[in-house]
Amino acid sequence: MDYEKLADLLYPNTKSPEYYEKMYPKRNLNGGLVTRFAPSPTGYLHIGNFFSAFIDRLIASNSKGVFYFRLEDTDKKREIEGTADVALGILKEYGIDIDEGLTLKGQKGEYGPYIQSQRLEIYRTYAKELVKRGLAFPCFCEQTNSLEQIKENRKQMLQENEELEHKDVCRNLSLDEIEKNLEQGKSFALRLKSKGKKDDKIITHDLIGGEREMPANCKDVVLIKNNKIPPYCFAHAVDDHLMRTSVVVRGNEWLASLPAHLEIFDALGFERVNYIHTPLICKIDEETGNKRKMSKRKDPEADMRYFKANGFPKEAVLEYLLTLANSNYEIWRLNNPNESYKNFNFKIEKIGNSNPLFDMAKLCDISKNIIANFTAEQVYDKVCDYSKEFDVEFYEILKSDKNYAISVFSIDRNGEKKRKDFAKYSDFKEYFKFMFYENSKNIQDYELDNINLKNLREVLEVYLNIFDFNDDKQIWFDKIKNMALNLGYCIDNKEYKKNPTAYKGNVADVCTMIRIAITQRKTSPDLWTICNILKNKTTNKINNFLNILKN
Ligand code: GLU
């Protein structure tokens, strides 16, 4: 077969590989590693892909290398408009800076274009090279035959030669037959002439998984589809080579196709890239009880937009992913509570090998610690940012009186023992609802349990008379004790324990009654602080509650 002729027939007028090799020279980064994030715009950013991108960024930063973004948009049928921008927006929000490639402001860098659909000429050039070297062949099956016919042909071929399992029928076409097909205007897919044989094994190497023996590829995989567009396996090989990628970080769901990818790299004469197949973040499937990759269809948290929409601080999400990425991260964090994670010495070899389970409780714990360390002003800004997008009504309330909101968010924030009640920005509204909204008009919404309503009314009525929001905490409490004493409550705990039936209750019960009227709950932050911030609203709330009690 005259492969040169075949190559010109299939791909006339292309540039040469040398042209592109020169155009995209090896990078001179003094050991800096080149990583890339290469999502397909076929859905919203998956937490697993974000995890890979984060690792890409860490590897590039730690080695003073380059992290670039490439859009793998060759599957036009599955493309969902806007998803690339969503991915770029999320990376930006999380501070995963892109050094090169596609950004929200367009493409930048010397190794572009960074959008695969703009690189078809380049793929043609390398496809032609494979044909020239007798390593790829055109396949007309899809156009010429029905699926049944393809299967039938394959069966026949196998009967003739068992060795050819997985090989495509068209690899046996003569130049004349190919020419005829082309003259008839038939389109073709280009396939790799795989050298692999059944039962062949190869050794693959992964920077975290080490060496693995795997079945060799023996399929004549498609390199360029009928529509002239390459699928991932070919496009990424050409791109990762020409963009001078040193490490490909991708989810370990790609492991199975690694032998085919390696065969393509080898056929093209490219130096193999290093791979890191990252562990997949998993869940236990509710129906089957089995561990499985997180799915955007089943798990809302698989979609990175979930965390923002639910008010998780981005610091917490990154922190959580870092604990999955490097097993020694948590200890480092304990010893370096105030350092930026960027100062952590991230190590490729410390990336775990087994698929972790997504742990919402752990994320919440991390988040609570982070939020506990924010100042009230920081909380105000962050809750405002969150609410502006996801809870406009609350945002308007926060904006209408900034000082008031900050004083509310200051509650239990400055002392030694910081409360860790908040895992999400959205929790603040729920927790401090009574500070920003009128209380419920429905008696069922108050945690009254078995409180005697007559006693309750009595306490509240007297409290209304003695309450003055200008009182300091001591005076305020002295007044309450005095009131408790007059109404038949015990103010000495020891005495009360000795003789409980002699009293209506103790002073703590009195405070609980006031607390319920104001906050609807039996537990709340410090009561004096609440009353002191609410000022006149304290009496309004109690009056409203007394009205509800009357009905
Ligand atoms: N486009 C592929 C995906 O979105 C990229 C895989 C890779 O990182 O190589 O899954």
Side-chain angles (χ1 to χ4, degrees):
M1 166 87 79
D2 183 346
Y3 291 124
E4 286 271 347
K5 185 164 176 208
L6 176 62
D8 281 332
L9 265 177
L10 298 177
Y11 300 109
N13 309 322
T14 56
K15 302 239 169 13
S16 67
E18 292 72 38
Y19 171 87
Y20 290 115
E21 293 295 327
K22 220 167 160 185
M23 185 162 160
Y24 305 115
K26 284 199 172 165
R27 299 175 189 251
N28 200 351
L29 293 171
N30 286 327
L33 298 173
V34 181
T35 58
R36 89 296 194 270
F37 182 43
S40 301
T42 51
Y44 294 104
L45 187 56
H46 188 281
I47 186 171
N49 288 346
F50 179 80
F51 184 49
S52 297
F54 188 25
I55 291 177
D56 279 318
R57 177 68 270 177
L58 291 167
I59 292 174
S61 298
N62 281 15
S63 64
K64 301 204 169 41
V66 171
F67 168 58
Y68 72 87
F69 186 108
R70 179 173 76 225
L71 190 66
E72 304 210 324
D73 64 337
T74 54
D75 193 347
K76 290 291 171 193
K77 273 196 225 115
R78 290 180 56 224
E79 186 160 334
I80 300 174
E81 220 190 296
T83 49
D85 278 356
V86 169
L88 286 165
I90 290 174
L91 292 186
K92 189 162 192 262
E93 270 166 27
Y94 280 85
I96 314 284
D97 298 333
I98 295 167
D99 302 320
E100 184 182 306
L102 183 63
T103 70
L104 282 169
K105 290 193 203 133
Q107 300 188 47
K108 61 172 182 185
E110 302 293 310
Y111 289 79
Y114 297 89
I115 299 178
Q116 286 189 329
S117 59
Q118 297 172 5
R119 300 173 60 79
L120 301 186
E121 259 316 297
I122 305 178
Y123 304 130
R124 272 165 57 87
T125 301
Y126 282 86
K128 182 175 185 176
E129 186 63 17
L130 289 181
V131 179
K132 252 192 206 171
R133 305 215 309 265
L135 300 175
F137 62 93
C139 164
F140 297 89
C141 285
E142 252 180 70
Q143 254 240 324
T144 323
N145 303 311
S146 65
L147 207 65
E148 281 75 44
Q149 189 62 50
I150 295 175
K151 278 190 192 149
E152 187 47 41
N153 291 350
R154 184 179 294 279
K155 221 162 90 191
Q156 227 179 339
M157 185 166 124
L158 272 177
Q159 273 164 9
E160 283 162 24
N161 185 353
E162 235 193 286
E163 267 289 276
L164 290 173
E165 192 185 13
H166 299 304
K167 301 291 188 266
D168 196 86
V169 248
C170 286
R171 61 151 63 197
N172 296 331
L173 293 177
S174 68
L175 190 57
D176 276 355
E177 284 169 307
I178 294 172
E179 236 175 328
K180 213 172 283 157
N181 279 340
L182 292 174
E183 272 162 22
Q184 286 169 13
K186 285 181 189 165
S187 64
F188 65 91
L190 189 78
R191 286 182 183 272
L192 176 74
K193 203 181 277 179
S194 169
K195 292 202 170 93
K197 293 197 206 72
K198 203 175 152 220
D199 301 330
D200 279 359
K201 298 272 185 272
I202 58 161
I203 301 289
T204 65
H205 187 265
D206 188 290
L207 291 185
I208 59 169
E211 288 192 345
R212 273 193 195 91
E213 190 182 73
M214 295 184 77
N217 171 60
C218 44
K219 265 193 196 156
D220 290 344
V221 290
V222 170
L223 303 174
I224 307 267
K225 291 186 285 188
N226 257 328
N227 60 5
K228 301 189 166 52
I229 295 177
Y232 169 75
C233 65
F234 187 63
H236 96 281
V238 172
D239 293 346
D240 282 328
H241 169 71
L242 288 181
M243 294 178 185
R244 310 297 173 182
T245 311
S246 24
V247 189
V248 167
V249 180
R250 60 185 184 185
N252 70 23
E253 72 266 39
W254 288 104
L255 210 50
S257 32
L258 182 59
H261 299 164
L262 293 180
E263 194 178 358
I264 295 171
F265 266 85
D266 294 348
L268 285 162
F270 295 162
E271 197 181 314
R272 291 181 178 182
V273 286
N274 287 304
Y275 286 96
I276 291 179
H277 288 95
T278 55
L280 301 180
I281 305 175
C282 289
K283 278 209 119 165
I284 299 291
D285 192 275
E286 277 179 18
E287 279 164 34
T288 63
N290 295 332
K291 201 173 175 184
R292 58 155 174 79
K293 180 182 166 186
M294 273 170 89
S295 129
K296 280 192 271 182
R297 205 164 38 82
K298 294 185 180 167
D299 315 307
E301 329 80 287
D303 181 337
M304 276 306 288
R305 291 174 304 171
Y306 169 90
F307 300 101
K308 187 177 183 200
N310 283 280
F312 282 97
K314 10 184 210 303
E315 297 88 335
V317 177
L318 291 182
E319 199 72 9
Y320 173 60
L321 292 179
L322 279 161
T323 67
L324 299 184
N326 261 195
S327 49
N328 55 330
Y329 183 76
E330 274 173 272
I331 295 181
W332 177 85
R333 174 49 85 210
L334 269 178
N335 294 329
N336 301 278
N338 300 319
E339 293 261 334
S340 157
Y341 76 82
K342 291 183 180 169
N343 297 332
F344 169 68
N345 190 8
F346 178 82
K347 288 253 165 56
I348 292 177
E349 58 278 15
K350 287 222 159 75
I351 302 174
N353 219 348
S354 57
N355 296 334
L357 282 177
F358 179 74
D359 188 345
M360 183 55 99
K362 183 161 182 180
L363 170 62
C364 286
D365 277 348
I366 291 174
S367 192
K368 283 176 184 172
N369 273 316
I370 289 176
I371 293 181
N373 283 315
F374 288 151
T375 63
E377 285 77 9
Q378 283 173 315
V379 169
Y380 176 80
D381 289 342
K382 285 169 193 284
V383 177
C384 275
D385 282 350
Y386 168 76
S387 310
K388 191 173 183 183
E389 199 169 343
F390 298 102
D391 189 350
V392 181
E393 178 208 279
F394 191 46
Y395 173 71
E396 296 298 340
I397 293 174
L398 294 176
K399 279 281 161 194
S400 68
D401 194 343
K402 180 173 175 178
N403 289 337
Y404 175 77
I406 289 179
S407 59
V408 173
F409 295 151
S410 307
I411 296 177
D412 290 333
R413 191 150 287 278
N414 302 322
E416 279 285 283
K417 251 180 44 201
K418 290 177 181 152
R419 290 183 71 119
K420 294 184 179 168
D421 297 297
F422 309 98
K424 312 190 281 307
Y425 299 133
S426 51
D427 292 344
F428 283 87
K429 176 178 171 181
E430 197 44 47
Y431 188 82
F432 285 126
K433 211 166 177 179
F434 56 91
M435 299 301 281
F436 293 103
Y437 291 87
E438 300 269 317
N439 284 352
S440 167
K441 293 195 164 46
N442 186 349
I443 193 87
Q444 317 286 359
D445 295 332
Y446 292 76
E447 284 180 11
L448 284 170
D449 296 346
N450 44 17
I451 289 179
N452 178 306
L453 296 188
K454 191 172 151 276
N455 292 348
L456 175 63
R457 208 174 297 135
E458 188 178 56
V459 163
L460 294 177
E461 272 160 6
V462 180
Y463 184 66
L464 277 180
N465 287 329
I466 58 159
F467 175 68
D468 179 344
F469 61 74
N470 290 315
D471 289 342
D472 67 19
K473 194 164 180 175
Q474 193 54 53
I475 295 178
W476 171 84
F477 194 53
D478 286 346
K479 282 182 174 177
I480 289 191
K481 280 202 287 198
N482 202 17
M483 163 176 88
L485 207 58
N486 291 338
L487 293 176
Y489 293 81
C490 186
I491 56 165
D492 177 334
N493 227 3
K494 269 193 206 146
E495 157 66 16
Y496 180 61
K497 272 195 185 142
K498 259 192 257 162
N499 209 356
T501 48
Y503 302 94
K504 283 184 187 164
N506 67 0
V507 73
D509 295 325
V510 170
C511 288
T512 302
M513 292 184 203
I514 300 168
R515 175 172 281 120
I516 293 171
I518 297 170
T519 71
Q520 303 186 198
R521 307 196 300 246
K522 276 191 302 197
T523 51
S524 77
D526 178 68
L527 187 58
W528 174 78
T529 311
I530 291 174
C531 295
N532 189 259
I533 296 173
L534 279 172
K535 302 201 176 358
N536 279 332
K537 280 187 247 161
T538 308
T539 37
N540 294 346
K541 279 184 186 292
I542 293 174
N543 274 321
N544 289 343
F545 181 66
L546 283 169
N547 279 335
I548 300 168
L549 277 183
K550 270 185 210 145
N551 298 326

